[in-house]
């Protein structure tokens, strides 16, 4: 380093200097955000992850000044100088150090930099593919650094809270047994046992249940999980979840603990005092009111059932729907006068894209209702619809008639579309809700069998166990999801802890007794040796951070994420491997 910097270590982070350090000497190190040469003075904004400080070089410094003239953006510097108060007219209110600066005494260029492919600024306009290719540069931007700093902070809050509540942090294996029942596994070939494979865990589910059987009572882990599934904006092939399991508890115990955890996180990170207990909705109520088991409660526009009003209708479209489903509607308040006919037609097309055969609508004008379907309805039916939806002049009523699953899906998605379009979803409004009493099973048309709505280890409601043999579609689960603003943050359940019930569950799912024991025998065998009642929950940690930071892109809160097709643009993974590696694994690629 320079003469004055020789042997000295960094004394301060750039963004943490305050007026308390005025008159003192400081050594700072970081990246050049920008350089301004005013002839006899050079101003350099030096940046590290805590923020920016302005450094001033005077030409009287001689060689040091000439070194400063060579500096360019993103050079890495070490600077020693005196902290001084700025003249009031030069204050910079946009940075935390805006009332002070460093008068440089010496400078060392630690590393030079080529011109980066984009400016290291929050508002830079650059494609995401470029950002991901040069992720190490993207992560220098203050906004991105704040996302990861928040992530680290939340991880500590979670750990401290759970440890304070008697939990043990225990790691579970990354290399485990493939038990395909849900998303696809990522498979890892075994070199030592040719022809066999490990699977990367989709979750630590079975291991955390085994830990309860082992007597550890309260377990948690910030677990890395892997699912080889089609990606969406809020999903990654490898992700992190807050994984929790407890013994000798019921649903209310899990819910109460986790409300306390969320209250702590949102209080410490955002300064928001969440009111507990959170609202609880049954699965059926959530579907009937919001068309979704992940309801966004920041706005109304609830679904209303019109089936009873139209049960005697002569309108063939409605009458045929009632034989197999229902007729339901939402009131888009004020949209009757806001939306043009073209915009209404666009909603009809959108409903068809969502799976509806069509979308009926009624616009309420000052002189009465207007709609192409009015000629098919009686005055009593029209008045009943208007009353049920509490419609007033200016409103737009949107009606779907079909099987319940279609009606809920279409109206639920139209509701969210209109919520976004009308600006009803405020990011700083946090509406939590527990969705409970899920169906234990759902019918899979492709496979012609029942599948578990959550997973095969979820316990049925005690009173519904007899229905497993006769009416499995009516069995409710001891399951619960925590939803925030239409996003499922986490889900969990009370687990089966009896070999007999677990065998019965696998039978309903279409497993033979032999195949069930082949895949999950180690768990059912463990149940024979004293399994306590237990249950838990897992949060999508990445989703939680996404909501806390207010970004819409889950990749923003992951240091090195994949694209939507599972590629890493930084490292070019996945990529081919040497034939030698494949031979060692006894693998032949056939594509």
């Amino acid at each position: 380093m320079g003469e004055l910097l020789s042997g000295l270590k960094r004394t301060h982070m750039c963004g943490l200097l305050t007026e308390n350090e005025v008159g003192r000497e400081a050594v700072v190190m970081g990246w050049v955000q920008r350089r301004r040469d005013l002839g006899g003075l050079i101003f350099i904004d030096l940046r590290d992850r805590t923020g920016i400080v302005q450094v001033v070089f005077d030409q009287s410094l001689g060689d040091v000044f000439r070194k400063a003239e060579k500096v360019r953006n993103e050079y890495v510097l070490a600077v020693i100088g005196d902290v001084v108060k700025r003249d009031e007219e030069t204050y910079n209110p946009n940075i935390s150090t805006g009332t002070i600066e460093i008068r440089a005494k010496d400078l060392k260029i630690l590393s030079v930099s080529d011109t980066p492919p984009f400016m290291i600024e929050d508002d830079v306009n650059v494609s995401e593919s470029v950002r991901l290719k040069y992720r190490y540069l993207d992560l220098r931007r203050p906004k991105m650094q704040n996302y990861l700093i928040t992530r680290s902070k939340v991880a500590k809050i979670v750990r401290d809270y759970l440890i304070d509540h008697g939990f043990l942090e225990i790691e579970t294996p990354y290399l485990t047994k493939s038990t395909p029942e849900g998303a696809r596994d990522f498979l890892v070939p075994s070199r030592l046992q040719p022809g066999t494979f490990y699977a990367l865990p989709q979750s630590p589910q079975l291991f955390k249940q085994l830990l309860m059987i082992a007597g550890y009572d309260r377990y948690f882990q910030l677990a890395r999980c892997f699912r080889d599934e089609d990606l969406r904006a809020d999903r990654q092939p490898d992700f992190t979840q807050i994984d929790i399991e407890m013994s000798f508890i019921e649903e209310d115990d899990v819910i109460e603990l986790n409300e306390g955890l969320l209250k702590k996180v949102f209080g410490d990170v955002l300064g928001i005092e969440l009111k507990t207990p959170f609202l609880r909705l049954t699965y059926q109520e959530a579907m009937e009111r919001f068309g979704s088991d992940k309801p966004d409660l920041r706005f109304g526009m609830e679904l209303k059932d019109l089936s009873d009003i139209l049960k005697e209708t002569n309108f063939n479209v409605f009458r045929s729907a009632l034989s197999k489903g229902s007729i339901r509607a939402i009131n888009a308040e004020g949209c009757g006068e806001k939306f043009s006919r073209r915009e209404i037609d666009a909603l009809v097309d959108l409903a068809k894209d969502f799976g509806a055969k069509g979308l009926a609508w009624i616009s309420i004008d000052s002189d009465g209702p207007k709609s192409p379907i009015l000629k098919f309805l009686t005055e009593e039916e029209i008045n009943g619809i208007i009353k049920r939806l509490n419609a007033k002049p200016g409103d737009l009523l949107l009606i779907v008639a079909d099987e319940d699953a279609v009606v809920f899906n279409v109206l639920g998605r139209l509701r969210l579309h209109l919520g976004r379009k009308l600006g009803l979803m405020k990011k700083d409004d946090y509406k939590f809700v527990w969705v409970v009493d899920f169906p234990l099973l759902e019918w899979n048309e492709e496979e012609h069998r029942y599948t578990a709505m959550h997973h095969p280890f979820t316990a049925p409601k005690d009173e519904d166990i007899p229905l497993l043999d006769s009416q499995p579609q009516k069995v409710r689960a001891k399951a619960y999801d925590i939803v925030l603003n239409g996003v499922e943050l986490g889900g969990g359940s009370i687990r089966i802890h009896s070999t007999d019930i677990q065998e019965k569950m696998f039978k309903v799912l279409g497993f033979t007794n032999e195949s069930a024991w082949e895949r999950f025998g180690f768990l059912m065998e463990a149940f024979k040796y004293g399994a306590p009642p237990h249950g838990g929950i897992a949060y999508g940690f990445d989703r939680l951070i996404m909501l806390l930071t207010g970004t819409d892109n889950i990749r923003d809160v992951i240091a090195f994420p994949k694209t939507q097709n599972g590629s890493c643009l930084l490292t070019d993974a996945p990529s081919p491997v040497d034939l030698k590696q494949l031979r060692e694994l006894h693998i032949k690629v056939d594509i």
Side-chain angles (χ1 to χ4, degrees):
M1 292 187 178
E3 183 179 343
L4 292 178
L5 285 163
S6 180
L8 289 179
K9 295 183 179 181
R10 179 169 62 177
T11 61
H12 296 81
M13 300 291 282
C14 294
L16 300 183
L17 284 163
T18 69
E19 292 186 19
N20 292 332
E21 278 77 40
V22 169
R24 298 178 184 174
E25 189 176 76
V27 177
V28 291
M29 300 180 186
W31 288 260
V32 175
Q33 179 69 25
R34 63 178 58 84
R35 170 186 169 278
R36 302 180 299 285
D37 191 336
L38 302 185
L41 290 175
I42 293 175
F43 295 88
I44 289 177
D45 290 343
L46 199 64
R47 182 195 72 241
D48 62 22
R49 68 178 172 85
T50 64
I52 289 174
V53 66
Q54 179 172 277
V55 183
V56 184
F57 295 84
D58 188 285
Q59 64 181 356
S60 63
L61 293 171
D63 288 344
V64 174
F65 185 82
R66 284 186 283 277
K67 280 193 287 185
E69 288 181 310
K70 299 177 182 178
V71 167
R72 297 294 181 265
N73 285 5
E74 299 310 307
Y75 276 35
V76 184
L77 309 181
V79 175
I80 186 170
D82 294 325
V83 181
V84 301
K85 188 84 178 289
R86 290 200 202 186
D87 294 334
E88 191 169 343
E89 61 271 17
T90 66
Y91 284 179
N92 183 352
N94 298 318
I95 58 176
S96 61
T97 60
T99 63
I100 59 173
E101 61 191 14
I102 295 176
R103 292 281 176 169
K105 296 178 180 177
D106 202 355
L107 160 70
K108 175 66 176 180
I109 298 175
L110 300 175
S111 180
V112 300
S113 172
D114 291 344
T115 301
F118 52 86
M119 292 293 291
I120 311 301
E121 296 175 345
D122 282 342
D123 297 327
V124 64
N125 185 16
V126 62
S127 69
E128 186 178 41
S129 62
V130 173
R131 289 175 52 206
L132 292 176
K133 181 178 180 179
Y134 298 96
R135 188 63 166 181
Y136 45 87
L137 297 178
D138 191 41
L139 290 175
R140 290 182 188 176
R141 296 192 299 128
K143 180 189 295 184
M144 298 299 294
Q145 292 186 333
N146 285 334
Y147 290 154
L148 295 190
I149 290 168
T150 299
R151 185 183 180 105
S152 177
K153 181 177 181 179
V154 174
K156 182 179 187 303
I157 293 169
V158 169
R159 283 190 166 97
D160 289 347
Y161 177 89
L162 292 173
I163 290 170
D164 288 346
H165 283 76
F167 284 79
L168 300 173
E169 184 172 9
I170 304 175
E171 296 173 337
T172 53
Y174 276 7
L175 296 176
T176 183
K177 181 181 176 64
S178 178
T179 54
E181 178 67 18
R184 297 183 189 90
D185 288 329
F186 278 104
L187 299 178
V188 180
S190 170
R191 180 181 62 84
L192 298 177
Q193 301 179 55
T196 63
F197 296 82
Y198 300 103
L200 299 179
Q202 296 186 28
S203 83
Q205 181 63 44
L206 299 179
F207 287 106
K208 67 180 181 179
Q209 288 191 245
L210 291 170
L211 285 170
M212 296 303 100
I213 297 171
Y216 285 87
D217 200 83
R218 290 193 165 201
Y219 140 97
F220 84 95
Q221 181 183 187
L222 267 66
R224 296 293 290 165
C225 303
F226 309 85
R227 294 180 187 174
D228 186 9
E229 58 186 352
D230 295 334
L231 303 183
R232 298 200 302 256
D234 63 344
R235 284 187 178 171
Q236 287 280 294
D238 50 342
F239 58 96
T240 304
Q241 67 184 34
I242 305 170
D243 204 53
I244 297 171
E245 198 77 2
M246 309 160 64
S247 292
F248 305 109
I249 45 85
E250 289 292 346
E251 293 169 74
D252 287 346
D253 301 306
V254 179
I255 288 174
E256 182 180 351
L257 174 99
N258 284 277
E259 287 180 347
L261 173 59
L262 289 168
K263 187 171 184 175
K264 177 69 172 171
V265 167
F266 277 75
D268 286 4
V269 175
L270 298 181
I272 293 172
E273 182 68 22
L274 297 180
K275 293 182 179 179
T276 55
F278 299 156
L279 176 69
R280 296 190 200 182
L281 295 176
T282 65
Y283 170 86
Q284 190 64 30
E285 185 179 2
M287 297 301 293
E288 290 182 352
R289 290 177 59 187
F290 303 99
S292 172
D293 60 359
K294 297 178 279 292
D296 192 326
L297 304 186
R298 288 175 291 181
F299 65 104
M301 211 181 295
E302 294 188 18
L303 280 62
K304 301 294 182 182
D305 193 348
L306 307 179
S307 302
D308 59 324
I309 296 170
L310 298 166
K311 62 183 178 182
E312 304 294 338
T313 187
N314 291 318
F315 187 23
N316 288 336
V317 173
F318 285 175
R319 190 169 64 249
S320 63
L322 285 174
S323 65
K324 56 183 178 180
S326 61
I327 305 167
R328 298 172 194 264
I330 57 175
N331 180 357
E333 295 183 6
C335 292
E337 59 185 3
K338 290 180 184 176
F339 286 5
S340 65
R341 180 58 188 266
R342 173 181 282 186
E343 288 177 295
I344 294 174
D345 289 343
L347 290 177
V348 175
D349 292 339
L350 193 59
K352 291 178 180 178
D353 290 342
F354 292 157
K357 298 181 180 68
L359 176 70
W361 57 269
I362 300 174
S363 178
I364 310 298
D365 293 346
S366 56
D367 55 351
K370 299 286 191 299
S371 172
I373 70 166
L374 294 184
K375 59 188 175 183
F376 302 110
L377 303 176
T378 66
E379 185 175 348
E380 182 181 0
E381 289 170 339
I382 294 168
N383 290 336
I385 292 170
I386 292 172
K387 183 178 180 181
R388 178 66 52 84
L389 288 162
N390 195 27
K392 58 188 182 300
D395 291 349
L396 178 65
L397 314 183
L398 304 174
I399 306 170
V400 177
D402 210 313
E403 296 179 4
D404 279 349
V406 174
V407 172
F408 292 146
N409 177 62
V410 174
L411 285 178
R413 293 173 72 177
L414 279 176
R415 175 180 178 270
L416 294 177
H417 169 79
L418 289 166
R420 286 187 290 269
K421 185 178 179 72
L422 299 172
L424 303 178
M425 300 172 170
K426 295 181 173 58
K427 282 192 174 182
D428 59 353
D429 187 14
Y430 298 97
K431 298 293 186 184
F432 287 88
V433 58
W434 289 100
V435 180
V436 299
D437 292 355
F438 281 84
L440 183 68
L441 307 162
E442 54 187 345
W443 182 253
N444 187 313
E445 287 289 349
E446 291 183 6
E447 299 182 20
H448 299 288
R449 69 179 182 94
Y450 286 109
T451 57
M453 183 165 274
H454 279 76
H455 54 62
F457 317 105
T458 297
K461 292 275 188 180
D462 294 341
E463 61 270 29
D464 290 353
I465 290 176
L467 298 175
L468 278 171
D469 294 320
S470 57
Q471 295 176 295
Q473 74 279 7
K474 293 186 177 181
V475 178
R476 294 166 299 159
K478 291 183 179 180
Y480 33 82
D481 283 357
I482 181 65
V483 177
L484 171 59
N485 295 353
V487 176
E488 178 194 331
L489 271 186
S493 66
I494 302 302
R495 322 301 187 189
I496 296 169
H497 65 282
S498 155
T499 302
D500 291 344
I501 299 298
Q502 190 66 73
E503 284 182 328
K504 187 184 290 284
M505 178 68 168
F506 284 135
K507 182 178 179 182
V508 173
L509 293 173
F511 287 75
T512 64
N513 195 54
E514 292 76 16
S515 64
W517 274 87
E518 180 182 346
R519 291 186 182 184
F520 304 104
F522 61 92
L523 177 68
M524 292 188 287
E525 178 76 13
F527 286 161
K528 295 179 179 180
Y529 296 96
H534 60 281
I537 194 170
Y539 291 89
F541 187 58
D542 310 303
R543 288 186 188 179
L544 175 61
I545 306 304
M546 183 178 72
L547 289 167
L548 283 166
T549 56
T551 179
D552 295 321
N553 189 339
I554 202 167
R555 290 186 286 276
D556 283 346
V557 300
I558 299 171
F560 299 101
K562 309 292 191 298
T563 64
Q564 280 193 288
N565 69 358
S567 299
C568 175
L569 299 183
L570 174 65
T571 63
D572 198 29
S575 59
V577 298
D578 293 339
L579 286 175
K580 179 183 177 183
Q581 292 176 273
L582 295 176
R583 290 193 198 101
E584 288 177 339
L585 296 168
H586 305 277
I587 290 176
K588 182 178 180 181
V589 177
D590 183 15
I591 56 173

